Amino acid sequence: MLSCTDKDRGDTFNPRQPLVSVVIPAFNASAYVERTLQSAMRQTYTALEIIVVNDGSTDDTAEIVEQIAMSDSRIRLLSTPNRGVAAARNTGIEASSGQFVAFLDADDLWHRTKIEKQVNALNPLSSRWGAVYALHYVIDEDDEIIRPGSSDVARGYIYARHLNIKYIGNGSALLVRRNAAVEVGGFDSSYAAAGIGGCEDLDFELKLAARYFIEVVPEALVGYRKHPGGMSSNHLRMGKGALEVVRRSLAANPNLPQYAIRSAMDATYKYAFWEFRQARRSYLSLVMLLLILRSDASFVVLLVLDRGLRRIRRFFRLGSTTANCQDQPGILRPKFDDHIAPSCLECPIETPRSRRRLARLAAVDAELNSTLAPGANGI
């Protein structure tokens, strides 16, 4: 077990700081939960309660958490039958006492300044600001950084834009006011019951974005782990889940203009296409392409051209000699830990078309906000 010093633990904290409840849903997470807990325990913001919801694990997840909890009184373990990540998060919300709730998946990591920066960003704002998110790095099983996550950011009322761009990249990036989480109904467990769990985070984010302003800390403060056993590795389920989440969200917000609806569906069809393609579901991939063709024929044309170019490159590689081919030396990647600088990521690459689309969606958000809260200035 990793040790944690008294300084790291932060069992005492400034009582004037608002309490943050960290909710960690855990199902068979024994390979990673210790590292995840350490990243929560070592936060520079110490006014925390850490609630681990053991969601019917059959491995030794509960035993690991219990042992670590002996060194930090802020940790509580709740055990339930296996009901899925949404129900586990809701259990954590119900048991929480904090003014804010931060969600941390049991295989992800936080930079040590993550909670402090998010509380400092959200706490001074009015109650109309319901949540704050941070950016992320994608990490592997060994905590090594594979690549940066998306660097797209927006703040304020972002519902129409978030339907398209999905700024909040994963379930470990969000800190939310507890009363806002309760007001939108928490996480929807019906997706898991229908066999399409995996996009409950997006469903929750869209419900928040439809009713609240959302702030951002534009720094990579989350290590989002990609591994074969992760929920996001089930591409078929992720594709189907995203389609259903967006369908439900649009149905719940009928005042959204037709342009924003078409744009949201186009973006979701593209996401589902790539997920179905990785799942090797040719029929579903083809259905998505036919739907995309109606709104963005250039996407399909470029896809066909790219596939043709890859075939040509593969042909010439097969025809060349392999005498000089040698194994490439292993790539040394930095680890996501307290030594990694949580710097701002590079600005996303934009095209004239994407800039025009974003401007139109920002205008939609401004109009929706004025309708929902006349006279609100967002401050």
Side-chain angles (χ1 to χ4, degrees):
M1 289 285 178
L2 297 173
S3 62
C4 189
T5 66
D6 290 338
K7 182 179 180 181
D8 289 330
R9 288 189 319 167
D11 284 345
T12 61
F13 56 85
N14 186 342
R16 290 174 296 180
Q17 292 180 313
L19 181 66
V20 176
S21 301
V22 179
V23 173
I24 304 177
F27 172 70
N28 288 349
S30 60
Y32 304 109
V33 70
E34 182 178 351
R35 281 175 275 175
T36 296
L37 274 172
Q38 291 291 336
S39 78
M41 295 158 65
R42 289 173 175 163
Q43 290 294 297
T44 55
Y45 190 91
T46 56
L48 306 176
E49 63 171 356
I50 303 171
I51 303 170
V52 182
V53 182
N54 176 35
D55 185 36
S57 297
T58 57
D59 63 2
D60 56 349
T61 294
E63 289 76 8
I64 293 172
V65 174
E66 287 173 343
Q67 185 168 350
I68 297 173
M70 294 175 64
S71 67
D72 194 322
S73 61
R74 297 174 299 174
I75 299 174
R76 278 193 288 156
L77 175 66
L78 306 177
S79 292
T80 67
N82 180 246
R83 298 177 297 163
V85 65
R89 288 198 185 113
N90 289 338
T91 297
I93 294 171
E94 291 168 5
S96 66
S97 304
Q99 178 180 338
F100 302 108
V101 179
F103 304 101
L104 176 58
D105 287 348
D107 52 358
D108 291 343
L109 302 176
W110 281 344
H111 188 271
R112 65 197 305 268
T113 64
K114 190 255 190 191
I115 296 297
E116 179 182 6
K117 289 178 176 178
Q118 288 188 306
V119 171
N120 288 342
L122 185 60
N123 194 41
L125 301 176
S126 76
S127 59
R128 284 222 60 207
W129 294 78
V132 55
Y133 66 99
L135 304 181
H136 69 277
Y137 289 110
V138 179
I139 62 175
D140 64 12
E141 295 96 326
D142 300 314
D143 303 347
E144 293 180 346
I145 295 174
I146 302 171
R147 63 180 183 275
S150 171
S151 53
D152 291 298
V153 296
R155 66 186 295 272
Y157 190 86
I158 63 171
Y159 174 66
R161 284 169 287 173
H162 192 48
L163 272 167
N164 288 261
I165 300 174
K166 300 173 179 58
Y167 297 101
I168 308 170
N170 58 82
S172 299
L174 196 66
L175 179 142
V176 61
R177 296 187 192 273
R178 185 185 186 279
N179 59 356
V182 172
E183 194 268 334
V184 300
F187 291 84
D188 191 338
S189 60
S190 68
Y191 294 100
I196 52 174
C199 291
E200 292 92 341
D201 298 334
L202 177 60
D203 179 88
F204 180 70
E205 295 157 12
L206 289 173
K207 289 188 294 187
L208 284 171
R211 305 186 192 188
Y212 291 93
F213 293 163
I214 296 180
E215 183 59 287
V216 58
V217 176
E219 300 180 41
L221 302 174
V222 177
Y224 173 53
R225 197 182 305 275
K226 289 275 192 177
H227 58 93
M231 184 175 292
S232 63
S233 64
N234 190 321
H235 300 291
L236 177 63
R237 187 172 59 194
M238 293 295 289
K240 289 183 175 181
L243 289 168
E244 180 62 14
V245 165
V246 172
R247 185 196 68 78
R248 293 188 192 183
S249 187
L250 294 177
N253 295 276
N255 56 335
L256 201 65
Q258 283 300 311
Y259 170 76
I261 293 173
R262 290 194 302 269
S263 183
M265 291 310 304
D266 178 64
T268 309
Y269 291 149
K270 289 172 181 175
Y271 172 82
F273 165 75
W274 292 115
E275 292 296 309
F276 294 152
R277 187 175 180 181
Q278 291 185 79
R280 299 183 178 181
R281 295 300 182 102
S282 300
Y283 173 75
L284 292 175
S285 299
L286 179 60
V287 170
M288 292 300 104
L289 279 181
L290 292 174
L291 292 170
I292 295 167
L293 189 61
R294 300 176 183 176
S295 58
D296 190 0
S298 62
F299 175 87
V300 181
V301 171
L302 291 173
L303 188 72
V304 172
L305 289 174
D306 178 69
R307 186 171 183 178
L309 289 172
R310 283 189 286 110
R311 285 183 174 178
I312 292 172
R313 286 194 295 266
R314 186 160 58 245
F315 172 80
F316 282 107
R317 281 200 301 269
L318 290 173
S320 63
T321 178
T322 59
N324 294 324
C325 291
Q326 296 179 356
D327 291 337
Q328 294 293 322
I331 299 174
L332 294 177
R333 299 190 181 101
K335 283 184 175 291
F336 184 92
D337 56 24
D338 291 347
H339 303 292
I340 194 73
S343 58
C344 298
L345 301 180
E346 295 182 2
C347 294
I349 299 174
E350 292 184 340
T351 65
R353 178 177 180 175
S354 66
R355 283 194 294 270
R356 289 193 299 270
R357 182 185 66 150
L358 187 59
R360 289 190 68 178
L361 292 172
V364 169
D365 279 329
E367 183 178 352
L368 288 174
N369 176 49
S370 65
T371 302
L372 293 173
N377 59 14
I379 297 176

